[in-house]
Amino acid sequence: MQIRYALPLVLFALLVVLFIFGMQIDPHKVPSPLIDKPLPAFELAQLHDPELTLSEQKLAGDVVLVNVWASWCVSCRYEHPILLAFSSSNETDLYGLNYKDTRENAL
């Protein structure tokens, strides 16, 4: 067999092996160094009233959803109506963390 026919066959076989191993990985078991770790200490000014702050003590003991967003983020604009609907359902508290954005743009 000529090398020009063998090389694509070998590459295809390697891809098949990689796919087989990849299909055996459980996507629900994503390792994270943050699991079972306490929330780090923080104190952040609130967007609408900078005099008020939010800290880790306010979130302690509750299940909350923290969404990181920015006004320049295209996918954040897409998920905004979904998060508004979730927030109005009162399932759990929703907090937004504005990332690398100016206060004026965030408002």
Side-chain angles (χ1 to χ4, degrees), residues 2-74:
Q2 292 182 349
I3 188 84
R4 69 178 190 182
Y5 296 119
L7 185 60
L9 186 60
V10 168
L11 289 176
F12 179 74
L14 287 174
L15 278 175
V16 168
V17 169
L18 285 175
F19 285 137
I20 289 171
F21 282 119
M23 295 297 289
Q24 295 174 358
I25 296 172
D26 185 1
H28 295 95
K29 294 183 180 179
V30 177
S32 173
L34 302 176
I35 294 175
D36 294 328
K37 300 287 188 217
L39 186 64
F42 69 90
E43 187 171 5
L44 299 171
Q46 292 187 16
L47 184 61
H48 292 288
D49 188 358
E51 299 296 321
L52 298 175
T53 59
L54 178 67
S55 67
E56 78 281 358
Q57 287 99 8
K58 169 91 168 91
L59 305 179
D62 294 330
V63 175
V64 297
L65 175 63
V66 178
N67 179 51
V68 181
W69 66 279
S71 63
W72 46 264
C73 172
V74 175

Side-chain angles (χ1 to χ4, degrees), residues 69-101:
W69 66 279
S71 63
W72 46 264
C73 172
V74 175
S75 60
C76 297
R77 291 177 186 261
Y78 175 77
E79 72 184 7
H80 183 70
I82 299 166
L83 291 170
L84 283 177
F86 177 80
S87 177
S88 65
S89 72
N90 294 324
E91 301 250 349
T92 187
D93 290 335
L94 171 64
Y95 295 95
L97 177 68
N98 188 245
Y99 180 72
K100 291 189 177 182
D101 210 346

